[in-house]
Amino acid sequence: MIDWKGRAPRRIAIVHEWLVNYAGSERVLEQLLLLMPDADLYAIVDFVPPADRAFLGGRRARTTFVQRLPFARTRYRAYLPLMPLAIEQLDLSGYDLVVSSSHAVAKGVLTDPDTLHVCYCYSPLRYAWDLQHAYLREAGLGSGPASLAARWMLHRIRAWDVVSAARVDRFVADSGFVARRIRKVYRRDADVVYPPVDVEGFVPGPPGELAPDGGGPYYITASRFVPYKRIPMIVEAFRHLPDRRLIVIGDGPQRREVARAAGANVTLLGHEPGDRLRLWLRGAQAFLFAAVEDFGIAPIEAQACGTPVIAFAGGALRETVPGLDAPEPCGVLYDEQTPAGLATGVRAFEANGARITAAACRRNAERFSIAAFRARVGALLAAAYDEYRAAVEG
């Protein structure tokens, strides 16, 4: 729970985008609910199955009219054009503190003049801003009447997104990379509090631990097979590295592309349960990562296992993976998001790997622990509320 510096808020609301599963932003929400156990929970929709609701602590969110629209359970994203209207219909009058957990529209809630609104922002709405063109291409909306309609809709959402940002009293970003995007899009400064990572669930193994399959040395990547993760690119890179072994864990829409790119030195395992994944991470020479991420949990989990990371030097990875120029390097950051660029990164790692230790990787990962998140966000909210009350009360 939060140690409020002065008078504690009497009523607190937490607003999340949509509740359908337990993923990255829901890990943050889980900790916010533990820090503020008396808070009321709001969301656009709440379709989390009964078996998966433990992270909500028994709460059921107060939802919007989107919850009752046809096919909303499976196609809630199709109602994005209605979500700005929906989020504005939530009645948050009478709350002292509102915390929005937002990567789309949650920050757009309407609050009283005497309410402090703090937004934990995972990113401005990416498919309306810097990823618009990639989003339209992947959706098959590059041209034609449907493309024009989609572009007009995104134009209107961008306008609302900027206007609604003014309703937030204080932004908190999940990385410095996202803080720069908030500054670019909303012209607002943001504090940085990294998301919580379960580093206690990922620990180094004994020295010399072998691969779970009993094979020789290997590199590993683990991810959902979606375009921005660049898994086919990682697999293709090992055509440039025929004498190295790559283990690929995951599945997704790009399964065929990944399989087509795989050579004889690449093993595709599909989904692996958590205990098995941890064994693979602990035994690997290094974890490979090629995406531009707002934060990126998987490279932190690998470092928590004592495993170095070879990652594209984009997004927040510059913040979470100390490269070879750091006093205690935890991996290699390569500059070209191409198979050849990744292959160069692997060779640089092999030439400098002796400088990277499992202990350094573990120490770095602990910066992103659940305990660190709770301490930082709790202190920030307490200080912000104390400062806001002082301003309101003169």
Side-chain angles (χ1 to χ4, degrees), residues 20 46-56 60 73:
V20 294
D46 181 356
F47 292 122
V48 179
D52 299 331
R53 299 187 67 86
F55 76 97
L56 296 174
R60 181 161 294 277
R73 180 176 294 274

Side-chain angles (χ1 to χ4, degrees), residues 250-282:
D251 204 347
Q254 284 196 306
R255 183 189 315 167
R256 291 183 180 179
E257 291 93 327
V258 173
R260 280 198 298 266
N265 60 334
V266 176
T267 302
L268 306 180
L269 294 182
H271 173 74
E272 289 277 89
D275 290 345
R276 187 84 170 165
L277 171 62
R278 283 187 280 272
L279 288 175
W280 281 110
L281 287 175
R282 281 164 33 168

Side-chain angles (χ1 to χ4, degrees), residues 54-358:
F55 76 97
L56 296 174
R59 294 174 180 81
R60 181 161 294 277
R62 305 178 193 186
T63 58
T64 71
F65 64 82
V66 177
Q67 179 90 11
R68 300 181 295 277
L69 294 178
F71 311 110
R73 180 176 294 274
T74 56
R75 302 194 63 189
Y76 60 93
R77 291 178 188 270
Y79 291 113
L80 179 63
L82 295 177
M83 288 184 183
L85 173 64
I87 205 73
E88 291 176 345
Q89 306 315 304
L90 294 175
D91 183 2
L92 298 178
S93 57
Y95 285 98
D96 299 306
L97 173 64
V98 170
V99 179
S100 57
S101 166
S102 182
H103 58 78
V105 301
K107 73 176 191 328
V109 290
L110 305 178
T111 60
D112 291 344
D114 290 343
T115 301
L116 172 63
H117 178 185
V118 177
C119 174
Y120 189 90
C121 184
Y122 308 97
S123 176
L125 189 59
R126 295 201 67 184
Y127 36 87
W129 291 99
D130 50 316
L131 290 186
Q132 173 188 286
H133 301 293
Y135 165 72
L136 292 171
R137 283 194 303 271
E138 291 168 12
L141 295 171
S143 60
S147 173
L148 182 60
R151 291 171 191 271
W152 174 249
M153 182 268 290
L154 292 173
H155 167 73
R156 296 298 300 270
I157 286 177
R158 277 193 296 276
W160 178 87
D161 195 37
V162 171
V163 169
S164 64
R167 301 170 189 170
V168 176
D169 297 301
R170 189 158 181 173
F171 275 102
V172 181
D174 68 348
S175 67
F177 178 60
V178 169
R180 292 192 295 276
R181 189 182 291 127
I182 289 170
R183 182 66 186 167
K184 177 81 170 181
V185 174
Y186 302 144
R187 303 300 179 186
R188 298 283 302 278
D189 293 326
D191 298 285
V192 175
V193 176
Y194 293 112
V197 181
D198 181 20
V199 298
E200 298 308 317
F202 292 81
V203 296
E209 186 174 26
L210 297 176
D213 64 354
Y218 61 94
Y219 293 91
I220 189 170
T221 191
S223 173
R224 182 163 166 75
F225 297 172
V226 291
Y228 87 96
K229 293 289 190 180
R230 303 295 183 97
I231 303 302
M233 190 206 88
I234 294 175
V235 171
E236 178 66 28
F238 275 70
R239 293 186 180 275
H240 299 264
L241 304 163
D243 55 343
R244 282 83 159 180
R245 187 161 77 113
L246 174 65
I247 301 296
V248 180
I249 295 175
D251 204 347
Q254 284 196 306
R255 183 189 315 167
R256 291 183 180 179
E257 291 93 327
V258 173
R260 280 198 298 266
N265 60 334
V266 176
T267 302
L268 306 180
L269 294 182
H271 173 74
E272 289 277 89
D275 290 345
R276 187 84 170 165
L277 171 62
R278 283 187 280 272
L279 288 175
W280 281 110
L281 287 175
R282 281 164 33 168
Q285 293 171 274
F287 179 83
L288 307 181
F289 199 75
V292 177
E293 283 279 15
D294 298 331
F295 177 64
I297 291 176
I300 306 298
E301 293 173 339
Q303 291 175 84
C305 291
T307 301
V309 174
I310 302 171
F312 175 60
L317 273 293
R318 291 184 182 274
E319 304 169 51
T320 61
V321 181
L324 293 175
D325 57 346
E328 285 195 322
C330 297
V332 171
L333 299 172
Y334 59 91
D335 294 323
E336 294 184 9
Q337 200 180 24
T338 63
L342 175 53
T344 299
V346 171
R347 295 189 185 100
F349 168 74
E350 292 176 348
N352 297 274
R355 295 175 50 208
I356 302 171
T357 67

Side-chain angles (χ1 to χ4, degrees), residues 14-27:
I14 298 175
V15 185
H16 195 64
E17 227 90 58
W18 42 73
L19 289 165
V20 294
N21 56 18
Y22 181 66
S25 63
E26 285 72 34
R27 298 186 191 198

Side-chain angles (χ1 to χ4, degrees), residues 357-370:
T357 67
C361 292
R362 176 68 192 182
R363 279 194 297 272
N364 184 59
E366 287 171 349
R367 296 193 293 132
F368 309 99
S369 69
I370 292 172

